[in-house]
């Protein structure tokens, strides 16, 4: 958005706030309409520059046109990028599979692969004894730094919890039958003959 409309004029209210593009566009169009109505043939001087109503209206209209063109360009660019991503998502796996097929088919035929814009895969360099030793040392150092251990050592590690109070959970269903048994036994005892 143009710098002219990023903040609302604070002369009247003493505050500033951001203005949306739609509101800024509406304001510029309102300026054009008001200028055409109030100063149809007049000459205005502000900012040490003299304007006719027609030149000022033309200048404001160029801003409207630029805002509308910018919005259209951004919208079309977003649409084009979205279409590109969607197409790449569909075609990308096919391209990768085709490249693998060509390399598998033509192997090390450099000239044939060059016709497709491909190079034969490079053979991995064999490791030297020094390379193997360096890789093993690096692996041990990484394992030590991360604190990783083997399967048996992991089993020996136990969590330690302190300050936790465990309260037993009792079921409501379990307490009511035990309470019912003594009451049923009490009437049986009183009904017995003496």
């Amino acid at each position: 958005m143009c710098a002219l409309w990023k903040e609302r004029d604070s002369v009247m209210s003493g505050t500033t706030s951001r203005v949306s593009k739609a509101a800024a566009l509406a304001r510029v169009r309102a300026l054009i309409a008001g200028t055409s109505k109030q100063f149809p043939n007049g000459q205005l001087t502000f900012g040490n520059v003299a304007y006719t109503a027609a030149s000022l209206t033309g200048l404001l209209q160029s801003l409207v046109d630029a805002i509308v063109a910018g919005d259209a360009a951004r919208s079309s660019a977003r649409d084009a990028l979205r279409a590109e991503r969607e197409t790449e998502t569909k075609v990308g796996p096919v391209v990768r599979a085709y490249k693998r097929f060509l390399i598998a088919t033509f192997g090390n035929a450099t000239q044939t692969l060059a016709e497709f814009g491909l190079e034969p895969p490079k053979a991995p360099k064999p490791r030297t004894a020094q390379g193997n030793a360096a890789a093993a040392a690096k692996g041990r150092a990484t394992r030590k730094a991360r604190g990783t251990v083997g399967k048996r050592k992991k089993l020996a590690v136990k969590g330690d919890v302190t300050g936790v109070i465990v309260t037993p959970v009792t079921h409501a269903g379990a307490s009511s039958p035990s309470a019912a048994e003594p009451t049923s036994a009490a009437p049986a005892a009183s009904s017995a003959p003496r």
Side-chain angles (χ1 to χ4, degrees):
M1 190 66 228
C2 69
L4 295 173
W5 301 101
K6 283 194 178 186
E7 293 185 356
R8 187 180 305 159
D9 189 13
S10 61
V11 174
M12 299 291 248
S13 64
T15 62
T16 59
S17 64
R18 309 254 329 147
V19 176
S20 71
K21 265 187 218 181
L25 192 58
R27 285 182 183 183
V28 175
R29 286 181 172 152
L31 284 173
I32 293 170
T35 302
S36 298
K37 183 178 180 181
Q38 296 297 325
F39 306 105
N41 297 321
Q43 181 153 348
L44 306 164
T45 302
F46 50 89
N48 295 328
V49 179
Y51 297 96
T52 63
S55 69
L56 184 59
T57 303
L59 189 63
L60 294 173
Q61 186 60 46
S62 70
L63 178 60
V64 168
D65 295 342
I67 291 171
V68 169
D71 284 345
R74 277 188 287 280
S75 176
S76 120
R78 278 193 301 268
D79 292 344
L81 288 173
R82 185 180 311 113
E84 178 187 347
R85 282 191 300 269
E86 289 172 357
T87 304
E88 190 173 310
T89 302
K90 290 178 194 173
V91 179
V94 175
V95 169
R96 288 188 292 275
Y98 186 47
K99 283 181 179 180
R100 286 192 301 268
F101 167 77
L102 291 172
I103 289 171
T105 303
F106 296 112
N108 290 332
T110 308
Q111 230 167 1
T112 307
L113 287 175
E115 291 174 4
F116 293 99
L118 300 174
E119 294 179 2
K122 295 180 181 175
K125 293 181 181 178
R127 270 200 193 159
T128 62
Q130 278 183 327
N132 287 339
K138 186 175 180 181
R140 283 191 301 274
T142 302
R143 198 173 163 108
K144 183 178 179 183
R146 289 183 182 163
T148 54
V149 293
K151 190 189 285 188
R152 290 187 184 127
K153 287 189 179 178
K154 279 185 187 177
L155 291 174
V157 176
K158 302 291 180 196
D160 190 19
V161 180
T162 59
V164 176
I165 300 171
V166 179
T167 55
V169 178
T170 58
H171 298 287
S175 61
S176 51
S178 61
E181 289 177 22
T183 56
S184 62
S190 61
S191 63
R194 292 185 193 190

